Amino acid sequence: DRRGYPEAVFCEGKTADQVGRIATALADQRQVSLFTRVREEHVQAIHAVLPDAAYDATARIVAWPPTPPEPTGGPVLVLAAGTSDLPVAQEALLTARYLGRHAELVVDVGVAGLHRILAQVPRLRAASAIVVAAGMDGALPSVVAGLVAAPVVAVPTSVGYGAAFEGLAALLTMLNACAPGVAVVNIDNGYGAGHLAAQIAAP
Amino acid sequence: DRRGYPEAVFCEGKTADQVGRIATALADQRQVSLFTRVREEHVQAIHAVLPDAAYDATARIVAWPPTPPEPTGGPVLVLAAGTSDLPVAQEALLTARYLGRHAELVVDVGVAGLHRILAQVPRLRAASAIVVAAGMDGALPSVVAGLVAAPVVAVPTSVGYGAAFEGLAALLTMLNACAPGVAVVNIDNGYGAGHLAAQIAAP
Amino acid sequence: DRRGYPEAVFCEGKTADQVGRIATALADQRQVSLFTRVREEHVQAIHAVLPDAAYDATARIVAWPPTPPEPTGGPVLVLAAGTSDLPVAQEALLTARYLGRHAELVVDVGVAGLHRILAQVPRLRAASAIVVAAGMDGALPSVVAGLVAAPVVAVPTSVGYGAAFEGLAALLTMLNACAPGVAVVNIDNGYGAGHLAAQIAAP
Amino acid sequence: DRRGYPEAVFCEGKTADQVGRIATALADQRQVSLFTRVREEHVQAIHAVLPDAAYDATARIVAWPPTPPEPTGGPVLVLAAGTSDLPVAQEALLTARYLGRHAELVVDVGVAGLHRILAQVPRLRAASAIVVAAGMDGALPSVVAGLVAAPVVAVPTSVGYGAAFEGLAALLTMLNACAPGVAVVNIDNGYGAGHLAAQIAAP
Amino acid sequence: DRRGYPEAVFCEGKTADQVGRIATALADQRQVSLFTRVREEHVQAIHAVLPDAAYDATARIVAWPPTPPEPTGGPVLVLAAGTSDLPVAQEALLTARYLGRHAELVVDVGVAGLHRILAQVPRLRAASAIVVAAGMDGALPSVVAGLVAAPVVAVPTSVGYGAAFEGLAALLTMLNACAPGVAVVNIDNGYGAGHLAAQIAAP
Amino acid sequence: DRRGYPEAVFCEGKTADQVGRIATALADQRQVSLFTRVREEHVQAIHAVLPDAAYDATARIVAWPPTPPEPTGGPVLVLAAGTSDLPVAQEALLTARYLGRHAELVVDVGVAGLHRILAQVPRLRAASAIVVAAGMDGALPSVVAGLVAAPVVAVPTSVGYGAAFEGLAALLTMLNACAPGVAVVNIDNGYGAGHLAAQIAAP
Amino acid sequence: DRRGYPEAVFCEGKTADQVGRIATALADQRQVSLFTRVREEHVQAIHAVLPDAAYDATARIVAWPPTPPEPTGGPVLVLAAGTSDLPVAQEALLTARYLGRHAELVVDVGVAGLHRILAQVPRLRAASAIVVAAGMDGALPSVVAGLVAAPVVAVPTSVGYGAAFEGLAALLTMLNACAPGVAVVNIDNGYGAGHLAAQIAAP
Amino acid sequence: DRRGYPEAVFCEGKTADQVGRIATALADQRQVSLFTRVREEHVQAIHAVLPDAAYDATARIVAWPPTPPEPTGGPVLVLAAGTSDLPVAQEALLTARYLGRHAELVVDVGVAGLHRILAQVPRLRAASAIVVAAGMDGALPSVVAGLVAAPVVAVPTSVGYGAAFEGLAALLTMLNACAPGVAVVNIDNGYGAGHLAAQIAAP
Ligand SMILES: Nc1ncnc2c1ncn2[C@@H]1O[C@H](COP(=O)(O)O)[C@@H](O)[C@H]1O
Ligand SMILES: Nc1ncnc2c1ncn2[C@@H]1O[C@H](COP(=O)(O)O)[C@@H](O)[C@H]1O
Ligand SMILES: Nc1ncnc2c1ncn2[C@@H]1O[C@H](COP(=O)(O)O)[C@@H](O)[C@H]1O
Ligand SMILES: Nc1ncnc2c1ncn2[C@@H]1O[C@H](COP(=O)(O)O)[C@@H](O)[C@H]1O
Ligand SMILES: [Mg+2]
Ligand SMILES: [Mg+2]
Ligand SMILES: [Mg+2]
Ligand SMILES: [Mg+2]
Ligand SMILES: [Mg+2]
Ligand SMILES: [Mg+2]
Ligand SMILES: [Mg+2]
Ligand SMILES: [Mg+2]
């Protein structure tokens, strides 16, 4: 890849066959690779070619080689507002790690219980980039960006119902964050959030 | 009015003439009245009939009789996230007062500077109903509802630009508040918010 | 919970395993709990830990302890415009009861047959808070709020098709209710409606 | 016109010059004509050609010949939910009259004060077609259609603000009316509503 | 029913059990009934109570008594722009018949082949009310309303894909029909369209 | 320009000064130019530099050199559904001419009066490309595309009100045209429509 | 067909039975035919009548007679931005071929890797019409239209998630393409894109 | 400010009086300040208090002290797709400079003329953060992010008309950018874009 980052294969719209053929090509080039949004059948097709590839069922990511590179650059912190935001947060976490950053995860720090996020302030301030995954009202990035000097990568999730409109409500909240320093990515785009955070925290 | 509350006249789509005629009719019945969303010409037409009516330019409200009733029920607290939310907050404040509640206003307590809202916690907890006016990300009601046991009346404002979509972003945030206890009213509807808060805090 | 109300667990995006673990933690703390939007598998996981928990299939709620507290505060009335709005109305009803209110339900009082809602006026006027669940045109809260002095909690439902847009039409109707005193919550949010009504009718 | 109804000229996007030229052509053919959505300058251009044309400033209609035809068919009743809906209701009223129907107007019968619409039931039941103009929640047609056997022509108005979305909320309400027998036309389309009612009530 | 029309039961959100209970109640009152949007299980539950009820699988309607009343009033014509609009058109057709009108159906007369609709002009002009069901561009009602003096009931269908947005495109087209005389009902609402046409063509 | 077509300057967001400077630069290069969406002040600034530039007030286009090139390729026909669509149609007409095509205009051929468009069939069939400008229901391109073998360039206009949503209704209609062969461009984009038609009809 | 092109049968909303009957009718008339958006069961129904019909599983097209006509007119080039856009691109490709054009396909030339599309410039410039299928950001047509003099038919695909809104994002991008010469068709409408390209490149 | 960056005053919804009072308070604290979205009257009110404050009419920014700090961190590059995007780009440029970065501007590098952006590749690759302002199709960030390893801050502008929907089209394009590394901010939010870029490029 032109930018030194792993090649990413978005598997959602692809058959197991197509993913298998892509895995073969990447294996031939010994290309560092991330397969995102995998289903069970994709994992099998990849393992047939790259048997030691690492698979994370929550993040729906397969990575090869299985061990992330030695971390460089600044630390990345990933926050999930609620437990239901975990898959997106985990996708961001692993992406940041496989792109070469030190990355950690904190779950269940939504704004309805402020003490939980306030208890994390020192850790927040130590990060070079913070990813915040939140659905429903999507209010957490506004609060976090008001507490730190580093950029906040906000990823709205499709968690919620009714007027959450599959993540649209959270997306709009984040685009209108009343604190500056919020970088928004697409709904449920944990991969993009982790990638952007890794770029921001690059050495 | 069937419910013992003042008659309210929404002046936005009305001519000065029409408002003058309504004022005359209400004066004849000695009806306690609120004129909302008034323009200069409306104020003049009302003052021609009810010369002692009280006019608040920020709230764009004219009230008659000019002095609110002696407060009963519990206290109402009105919060404005930013200075630009003031007109809507003031409309809520005066409405609650003219409906017979003790009501106070706190401005500029947006979530981008959490210490400001946290400094208000004792006052928040003393209120029987809290109105929160906020535009842009509309995140303040989620935070406030997590701090108190009383109902929070959330009124989105059209403050902001771009993806604020004239208050739609704040409206959706409030409908998806991750804390329960948030009662949402229409965008910029300070009158409705103050009315609802007065009903909730009624004796 | 900081506010003396039961802890609520939103089960929709959670596995039976996750819900089981949360139930265990709550059982350990002897925490009064509501599990909302449960599926069959959630019920089984909860019953394995809290065998006497009460389950209502229409409301999709599991409550522990199974018996609601002795009612305090004012009475709550829950209205369902049509039979299809019943699940949302029932979720509101049980939530209000488990939060400690006396609560009753009236079904099939839509505005297409005004005599049915008019027949309920004495009962409407006796309530401290009224929840109205309605889909399609969502017109019932406007009519009810014109008949009573207490706050009306309006919960739009996703009942309907086509231009009902999964509850959006009813939501907009309610936000634009021509009578003041209407508190709107998210589409299908029976839990939030019952919670808000219980707060409004609190002693 | 192929259907025996007056030729209608929609003036909104036209210059006074263009309207004057059209008036001249229609005068030459002695064509019965309605000019809708006129501005002052249009009225002058028409009067230069058809000095006896009738002009109604509320409805923004100019009609020629000035006197409506002798009424035939059944009676049309036009309802305006509030005073602000008057211009649209008046446009419908005059259109129905110039198309040859007996037509009457009732204003300020919104659903927030049910007694006002209930007081009109005998008159409602006497009409062959009823036009209902309503903005904000747009709930009146649902109620009226539940009271009568004749078709109800529902015309949403752009009255309101915020989540009224310039008449969209009322439009959706009307399309989802829970009583059958509601015929919806475009937002603020008083002309179309009056035309349709006149066709329905035709002899 | 207050208006002399059959009682309609909207079955979409109901269980077979609920529909069975309603059928029993209606059978007891010997109430003329229409069950709309039925599924197989609903049909069985109704037939258990009303074994001679008529079932039309295309319209998804069950009617009791099975034979429509002797027709009165004027003729109703139902047009389907394409074959895929047939279910909605058939629902309108049967509704009009069971409400007591003479009603006929013409399929596949979309505007892309004008000769087909032009060949129907004499039949169009003989009708007292015309229902037009169309999806995709929804252009047929504009063309038909330009050819006849009777009201056109336009029912948008959810036929199409992409920017058809499940019938929204057709709905907007119909609301903006450039010919007057178009009465719009909800997307896929064949029942409502047939009902309205029957009211318009009533004796 | 890389494609041999005139350089187009979109003036809407530009000051007279900026447009004057661009005109000077183009004059220096003797570049064939079109200035679109001009206001009076733009025209003066251009005429100061290119005194013989041609200005069309309806199309809001300034062209230099003032005379279009000798036509080549096939004929382009531009249709305007109504008079209000004329500015957009004229912009398309002149663009096609200045790009070197023979182009003609036909106005007021909307689908509400089918005989008018049917009278044009021979002329329609003689064109190599047809531009259709229509607002409101936007139904004309569907009808025209069903009558000819050449591509139809459909340009929705913002003519209409209410549910026309500033051209959105017409845009959706055209994207869903039930006849193939319809090429859609942006709302009110007469320039783009004329350009595309000129490319299609190029020699 | 009035235009000499094959008759197309849109199978999506049709049963196998209906498609079989249509195939029989077309076989009887020996009508050149395309069946689009077929499912397995449709293919079987068609093969029962036209056993030698050609079936392409990627494009979901069945064609009869199986061999496309000898190509005439100019060459058509079909581009797919990514592999997931292949089904739509293939539908366009085959449609263009069965309408009598020489047509070729190039896959995976998205704008994130500009060198891939730049490598195709000579081939792009040789085409009489270019179809571009792209989802997500839909940016490819803007880039391609800036490189060639021929019209570009842009077909947005529903590839993507979140704020791709099932192709809406790509559709809007294409309608706003900053280079002229972009003809937009409906989301996922490969058939329409291929048809339009074949018309543009017709002899 | 908690983060060491200048205090920013958003002037859009404020009177000259209010801005003057804020300027006085900031002057008293000798607080480094940025006033954004100023109008003429704001500038005068600020200059009355801070006579040496710097004013940029294109960016609509007033800064005090007038000279930006000595640059630290990495270089920021700001791109404007077209001339009409200049105000937003200039707001980003100045914000980055006043936050302490070296920042430069490149205008008119839209994707319709790829050679212009390709000519900038070395400069693009030298930047630590790149701001891209683009309206209409908003395609430029996708292309730029494919050419560099640094984060791209994408700011959609409201430039365009029709289906540009005041920047919504460009916003969606950017959220769906097919290359990773794109950080999106609100429509027309040059201040936010410059702030984020300055944070990313901080030392
Ligand atoms: N049915 C529901 N709808 C909306 N919010 C709910 C619902 N049930 C629970 N909640 C809220 O969601 C929170 C629990 O979320 P969680 O921690 O993910 O279980 C509770 O504190 C409630 O405020
Ligand atoms: N298919 C349908 N679409 C829309 N409304 C319907 C339909 N069928 C019945 N209705 C209406 O819904 C009412 C019955 O609703 P319910 O009492 O829930 O069965 C009837 O009185 C009709 O007005
Ligand atoms: N009226 C118009 N509508 C849409 N695009 C236009 C229009 N006029 C010019 N353009 C396009 O905008 C480009 C010029 O933009 P600019 O350089 O800002 O003047 C031209 O090359 C055309 O592609
Ligand atoms: N042009 C702008 N766009 C968006 N946010 C801004 C802008 N200018 C200032 N802000 C934000 O608004 C806050 C100031 O709001 P206020 O206290 O109302 O003046 C600042 O701290 C910034 O976060
Ligand atoms: Mg890749
Ligand atoms: Mg009143
Ligand atoms: Mg909880
Ligand atoms: Mg006319
Ligand atoms: Mg019923
Ligand atoms: Mg140019
Ligand atoms: Mg066909
Ligand atoms: Mg500030």
Side-chain angles (χ1 to χ4, degrees):
Chain A
D1 188 79
R2 116 215 82 81
R3 302 185 297 193
Y5 290 124
E7 176 71 14
V9 182
F10 177 65
C11 298
E12 199 156 87
K14 301 203 171 72
T15 62
D17 249 46
Q18 291 177 306
V19 170
R21 271 196 298 273
I22 296 172
T24 306
L26 294 169
D28 289 352
Q29 310 156 29
R30 308 211 58 73
Q31 166 72 56
V32 177
S33 308
L34 281 181
F35 299 82
T36 66
R37 300 209 161 204
V38 292
R39 292 187 304 273
E40 255 322 305
E41 71 213 63
H42 295 134
V43 181
Q44 287 166 23
I46 302 166
H47 275 158
V49 183
L50 299 161
D52 64 335
Y55 167 50
D56 184 286
T58 302
R60 294 177 51 203
I61 276 186
V62 172
W64 189 88
T67 317
E70 204 53 39
T72 62
V76 169
L77 190 66
V78 178
L79 307 180
T83 324
S84 317
D85 303 311
L86 189 56
V88 174
Q90 182 86 352
E91 191 188 13
L93 181 80
L94 294 191
T95 300
R97 283 188 185 151
Y98 281 103
L99 266 78
R101 296 305 155 262
H102 176 85
E104 286 187 5
L105 177 69
V106 178
V107 181
D108 209 11
V109 286
V111 302
L114 272 190
H115 53 285
R116 289 177 300 197
I117 186 68
L118 291 176
Q120 301 288 340
V121 168
R123 218 166 156 194
L124 293 173
R125 295 213 168 133
S128 293
I130 300 171
V131 173
V132 180
M136 298 171 76
D137 60 18
L140 188 54
S142 294
V143 166
V144 172
L147 295 168
V148 301
V152 171
V153 179
V155 51
T157 70
S158 52
V159 169
Y161 58 91
F165 294 129
E166 324 246 317
L168 178 61
L171 171 64
L172 294 183
T173 309
M174 292 169 181
L175 287 167
N176 287 287
C178 53
V182 177
V184 184
V185 300
N186 193 10
I187 297 164
D188 289 334
N189 189 3
Y191 163 72
H195 198 291
L196 185 57
Q199 288 172 283
I200 293 171
Chain B
D1 190 77
R2 119 215 78 82
R3 302 185 298 191
Y5 290 124
E7 176 71 15
V9 182
F10 177 65
C11 298
E12 199 155 87
K14 301 203 171 70
T15 63
D17 249 45
Q18 292 178 305
V19 169
R21 270 197 299 272
I22 295 172
T24 306
L26 293 170
D28 289 353
Q29 310 155 29
R30 306 211 59 73
Q31 164 73 55
V32 178
S33 308
L34 281 181
F35 299 82
T36 66
R37 299 211 161 203
V38 293
R39 292 186 304 273
E40 254 322 306
E41 71 213 63
H42 294 135
V43 181
Q44 287 167 22
I46 302 167
H47 275 159
V49 182
L50 298 162
D52 64 333
Y55 168 49
D56 185 287
T58 303
R60 294 177 51 203
I61 275 186
V62 173
W64 188 89
T67 318
E70 205 52 38
T72 62
V76 168
L77 191 66
V78 179
L79 307 179
T83 323
S84 317
D85 302 312
L86 189 56
V88 175
Q90 182 86 353
E91 192 188 14
L93 180 80
L94 294 190
T95 299
R97 283 188 185 152
Y98 281 102
L99 265 79
R101 296 304 155 264
H102 176 85
E104 287 188 4
L105 178 68
V106 178
V107 181
D108 209 11
V109 286
V111 303
L114 272 189
H115 53 285
R116 289 177 300 196
I117 186 66
L118 291 176
Q120 301 289 339
V121 167
R123 218 167 157 190
L124 294 173
R125 295 212 168 136
S128 293
I130 299 171
V131 173
V132 181
M136 299 172 73
D137 60 17
L140 187 55
S142 294
V143 166
V144 172
L147 295 168
V148 300
V152 171
V153 179
V155 50
T157 70
S158 53
V159 169
Y161 58 88
F165 294 129
E166 324 246 318
L168 178 61
L171 171 64
L172 294 184
T173 309
M174 292 169 181
L175 287 167
N176 287 288
C178 51
V182 177
V184 184
V185 299
N186 193 9
I187 297 164
D188 288 335
N189 189 3
Y191 163 73
H195 199 290
L196 185 57
Q199 289 172 282
I200 293 171
Chain C
D1 189 79
R2 114 215 83 82
R3 302 185 298 192
Y5 290 124
E7 176 72 13
V9 182
F10 177 63
C11 298
E12 198 155 271
K14 300 200 173 72
T15 62
D17 249 46
Q18 290 177 306
V19 169
R21 270 196 299 272
I22 296 172
T24 306
L26 294 169
D28 289 353
Q29 311 157 29
R30 307 211 57 74
Q31 166 72 54
V32 177
S33 308
L34 282 181
F35 299 83
T36 67
R37 300 208 161 204
V38 293
R39 292 186 304 273
E40 255 321 306
E41 72 213 63
H42 295 134
V43 181
Q44 287 166 22
I46 302 166
H47 274 159
V49 182
L50 298 161
D52 64 334
Y55 167 50
D56 185 286
T58 302
R60 294 177 53 202
I61 276 186
V62 173
W64 188 90
T67 318
E70 203 53 38
T72 63
V76 168
L77 191 66
V78 179
L79 306 181
T83 324
S84 317
D85 303 311
L86 190 56
V88 174
Q90 182 86 354
E91 191 188 15
L93 181 80
L94 294 191
T95 300
R97 283 189 185 152
Y98 281 103
L99 265 78
R101 296 305 154 263
H102 177 85
E104 287 187 3
L105 177 68
V106 179
V107 181
D108 209 12
V109 285
V111 303
L114 273 191
H115 53 284
R116 288 177 299 195
I117 187 67
L118 291 176
Q120 301 288 341
V121 167
R123 218 166 156 192
L124 293 173
R125 295 213 168 134
S128 293
I130 301 171
V131 172
V132 181
M136 299 172 74
D137 59 18
L140 188 55
S142 294
V143 165
V144 172
L147 295 168
V148 301
V152 171
V153 179
V155 51
T157 70
S158 52
V159 169
Y161 58 90
F165 293 130
E166 324 244 319
L168 177 61
L171 171 64
L172 295 183
T173 309
M174 291 170 181
L175 287 167
N176 287 287
C178 51
V182 177
V184 184
V185 300
N186 193 9
I187 297 164
D188 288 334
N189 189 2
Y191 163 75
H195 198 290
L196 185 57
Q199 289 171 282
I200 293 171
Chain D
D1 189 78
R2 116 216 80 83
R3 303 186 296 193
Y5 290 124
E7 175 72 14
V9 182
F10 177 65
C11 298
E12 198 154 272
K14 301 204 171 71
T15 63
D17 251 45
Q18 290 178 306
V19 170
R21 270 197 298 274
I22 295 171
T24 305
L26 294 169
D28 289 354
Q29 309 156 30
R30 307 211 59 73
Q31 165 74 52
V32 178
S33 307
L34 281 181
F35 298 82
T36 66
R37 300 209 161 203
V38 293
R39 291 186 304 272
E40 255 321 307
E41 71 214 62
H42 295 134
V43 181
Q44 286 167 23
I46 302 166
H47 275 159
V49 181
L50 299 162
D52 64 334
Y55 168 50
D56 185 286
T58 302
R60 294 177 53 202
I61 276 187
V62 173
W64 189 89
T67 318
E70 204 53 37
T72 61
V76 168
L77 190 66
V78 178
L79 306 180
T83 324
S84 316
D85 303 312
L86 189 56
V88 174
Q90 182 86 352
E91 191 188 15
L93 181 80
L94 294 191
T95 301
R97 283 188 186 152
Y98 281 103
L99 265 78
R101 295 305 154 263
H102 176 85
E104 287 188 3
L105 178 69
V106 178
V107 181
D108 209 11
V109 285
V111 303
L114 271 190
H115 53 285
R116 289 178 299 197
I117 186 66
L118 291 176
Q120 302 287 341
V121 167
R123 219 168 156 191
L124 294 173
R125 294 211 169 135
S128 294
I130 300 172
V131 173
V132 181
M136 299 172 74
D137 60 17
L140 188 54
S142 294
V143 165
V144 172
L147 295 168
V148 301
V152 171
V153 179
V155 51
T157 71
S158 52
V159 169
Y161 59 90
F165 294 129
E166 325 243 317
L168 177 61
L171 171 64
L172 295 183
T173 310
M174 292 169 182
L175 287 167
N176 287 288
C178 52
V182 177
V184 185
V185 299
N186 194 9
I187 298 164
D188 289 334
N189 189 3
Y191 164 73
H195 198 291
L196 185 57
Q199 289 172 282
I200 292 171
Chain E
D1 189 79
R2 117 214 81 81
R3 303 185 296 192
Y5 290 123
E7 176 72 14
V9 182
F10 178 63
C11 298
E12 197 154 272
K14 301 199 171 74
T15 62
D17 248 46
Q18 291 178 305
V19 169
R21 271 197 298 274
I22 295 172
T24 305
L26 294 170
D28 288 354
Q29 309 156 30
R30 308 211 58 73
Q31 165 73 54
V32 177
S33 307
L34 282 181
F35 298 83
T36 68
R37 298 206 162 207
V38 293
R39 291 187 303 274
E40 254 322 305
E41 70 213 64
H42 295 134
V43 181
Q44 286 166 23
I46 302 166
H47 274 160
V49 182
L50 298 162
D52 63 335
Y55 168 49
D56 185 286
T58 303
R60 294 177 52 203
I61 275 186
V62 172
W64 187 90
T67 318
E70 203 52 38
T72 62
V76 168
L77 190 66
V78 178
L79 307 179
T83 324
S84 316
D85 303 312
L86 189 57
V88 174
Q90 181 86 352
E91 191 188 14
L93 181 80
L94 294 191
T95 300
R97 283 188 185 153
Y98 281 102
L99 266 78
R101 298 302 155 265
H102 176 85
E104 287 187 4
L105 178 69
V106 178
V107 182
D108 209 11
V109 284
V111 303
L114 272 190
H115 53 284
R116 288 178 299 196
I117 186 66
L118 290 176
Q120 301 288 341
V121 167
R123 219 167 155 191
L124 294 173
R125 295 211 168 135
S128 294
I130 301 171
V131 172
V132 181
M136 299 172 74
D137 60 17
L140 187 56
S142 294
V143 165
V144 172
L147 295 169
V148 299
V152 171
V153 179
V155 51
T157 70
S158 53
V159 169
Y161 58 89
F165 294 129
E166 324 246 319
L168 178 61
L171 172 64
L172 295 183
T173 309
M174 291 170 182
L175 287 167
N176 288 287
C178 52
V182 177
V184 184
V185 299
N186 194 10
I187 298 164
D188 289 334
N189 190 2
Y191 163 74
H195 199 290
L196 185 57
Q199 288 171 282
I200 292 171
Chain F
D1 189 80
R2 115 215 83 82
R3 302 186 296 193
Y5 290 124
E7 175 72 13
V9 182
F10 178 63
C11 298
E12 198 155 87
K14 300 202 173 72
T15 63
D17 250 47
Q18 291 177 307
V19 169
R21 271 197 299 273
I22 296 172
T24 306
L26 294 170
D28 289 353
Q29 309 157 31
R30 308 210 58 73
Q31 166 72 55
V32 178
S33 307
L34 281 181
F35 299 82
T36 68
R37 300 208 160 203
V38 292
R39 292 186 304 273
E40 255 321 308
E41 71 213 62
H42 295 134
V43 181
Q44 287 166 23
I46 302 166
H47 275 160
V49 182
L50 298 162
D52 64 334
Y55 168 49
D56 184 286
T58 302
R60 294 177 52 202
I61 275 186
V62 173
W64 188 90
T67 318
E70 204 53 38
T72 60
V76 168
L77 190 66
V78 179
L79 307 180
T83 324
S84 316
D85 303 311
L86 189 56
V88 175
Q90 182 85 354
E91 191 188 12
L93 181 80
L94 294 191
T95 300
R97 284 189 185 150
Y98 281 103
L99 266 79
R101 293 306 153 263
H102 176 84
E104 287 188 3
L105 178 68
V106 178
V107 181
D108 209 11
V109 285
V111 302
L114 271 190
H115 53 284
R116 288 178 299 198
I117 186 68
L118 291 176
Q120 301 288 340
V121 167
R123 218 167 156 192
L124 294 172
R125 295 214 167 133
S128 294
I130 300 172
V131 173
V132 181
M136 298 173 74
D137 61 16
L140 188 54
S142 294
V143 166
V144 171
L147 295 168
V148 301
V152 171
V153 179
V155 51
T157 71
S158 53
V159 169
Y161 59 90
F165 294 130
E166 324 245 319
L168 177 61
L171 171 64
L172 295 184
T173 310
M174 291 168 181
L175 287 167
N176 286 288
C178 52
V182 177
V184 184
V185 299
N186 194 9
I187 297 164
D188 289 334
N189 190 2
Y191 163 74
H195 198 291
L196 185 57
Q199 288 172 281
I200 293 171
Chain G
D1 189 77
R2 119 214 78 80
R3 304 186 296 192
Y5 290 124
E7 176 71 15
V9 182
F10 176 65
C11 298
E12 198 155 88
K14 301 203 172 71
T15 62
D17 249 45
Q18 291 178 307
V19 169
R21 270 197 298 273
I22 296 171
T24 306
L26 294 169
D28 289 352
Q29 309 156 30
R30 308 211 58 73
Q31 167 72 55
V32 177
S33 309
L34 281 181
F35 299 82
T36 67
R37 299 207 162 206
V38 292
R39 291 186 304 274
E40 255 322 306
E41 72 214 62
H42 295 135
V43 181
Q44 287 166 22
I46 302 166
H47 275 159
V49 183
L50 299 160
D52 64 334
Y55 168 49
D56 184 287
T58 302
R60 294 177 51 203
I61 275 185
V62 173
W64 188 89
T67 318
E70 203 54 36
T72 61
V76 169
L77 190 66
V78 179
L79 308 179
T83 324
S84 316
D85 303 310
L86 189 56
V88 174
Q90 182 86 353
E91 192 188 13
L93 181 80
L94 294 191
T95 300
R97 283 188 184 152
Y98 281 103
L99 265 79
R101 297 303 155 265
H102 176 85
E104 287 187 4
L105 178 68
V106 178
V107 182
D108 209 11
V109 285
V111 303
L114 272 190
H115 53 284
R116 288 178 299 198
I117 186 67
L118 291 175
Q120 300 288 340
V121 168
R123 219 166 154 192
L124 294 172
R125 297 213 167 134
S128 294
I130 300 171
V131 173
V132 180
M136 298 173 74
D137 60 17
L140 187 56
S142 294
V143 166
V144 172
L147 295 168
V148 300
V152 170
V153 179
V155 51
T157 71
S158 53
V159 169
Y161 58 89
F165 294 129
E166 324 246 319
L168 178 61
L171 172 63
L172 295 183
T173 309
M174 292 169 181
L175 287 167
N176 287 287
C178 52
V182 177
V184 184
V185 300
N186 194 9
I187 298 164
D188 289 334
N189 189 3
Y191 164 73
H195 198 290
L196 185 57
Q199 288 171 282
I200 293 170
Chain H
D1 188 81
R2 120 214 77 82
R3 303 186 298 192
Y5 290 125
E7 175 72 12
V9 182
F10 177 63
C11 297
E12 199 155 87
K14 300 201 172 72
T15 63
D17 248 47
Q18 291 178 306
V19 169
R21 270 196 299 273
I22 296 172
T24 305
L26 294 170
D28 289 353
Q29 310 156 29
R30 307 211 60 72
Q31 165 72 55
V32 177
S33 307
L34 280 182
F35 298 82
T36 67
R37 299 209 162 202
V38 293
R39 292 186 304 274
E40 254 322 306
E41 71 213 62
H42 295 135
V43 181
Q44 287 166 23
I46 302 166
H47 274 159
V49 182
L50 298 161
D52 64 334
Y55 168 49
D56 185 286
T58 301
R60 294 178 51 204
I61 275 186
V62 173
W64 187 90
T67 318
E70 204 53 38
T72 61
V76 168
L77 190 66
V78 179
L79 307 180
T83 324
S84 317
D85 303 312
L86 189 56
V88 174
Q90 182 86 354
E91 192 187 14
L93 181 80
L94 294 190
T95 300
R97 283 187 186 153
Y98 280 102
L99 265 79
R101 294 305 153 264
H102 176 84
E104 287 187 4
L105 178 68
V106 178
V107 182
D108 209 13
V109 286
V111 303
L114 271 190
H115 52 284
R116 288 177 301 196
I117 187 67
L118 292 176
Q120 301 288 340
V121 168
R123 219 167 154 192
L124 294 173
R125 296 213 167 135
S128 294
I130 300 171
V131 173
V132 181
M136 298 172 75
D137 60 16
L140 187 55
S142 294
V143 165
V144 172
L147 296 168
V148 300
V152 171
V153 178
V155 50
T157 71
S158 53
V159 169
Y161 58 90
F165 294 129
E166 324 245 319
L168 178 61
L171 171 64
L172 295 183
T173 310
M174 292 169 180
L175 286 167
N176 287 288
C178 52
V182 177
V184 184
V185 299
N186 194 9
I187 297 163
D188 288 335
N189 190 2
Y191 163 75
H195 198 291
L196 185 57
Q199 288 172 281
I200 293 171

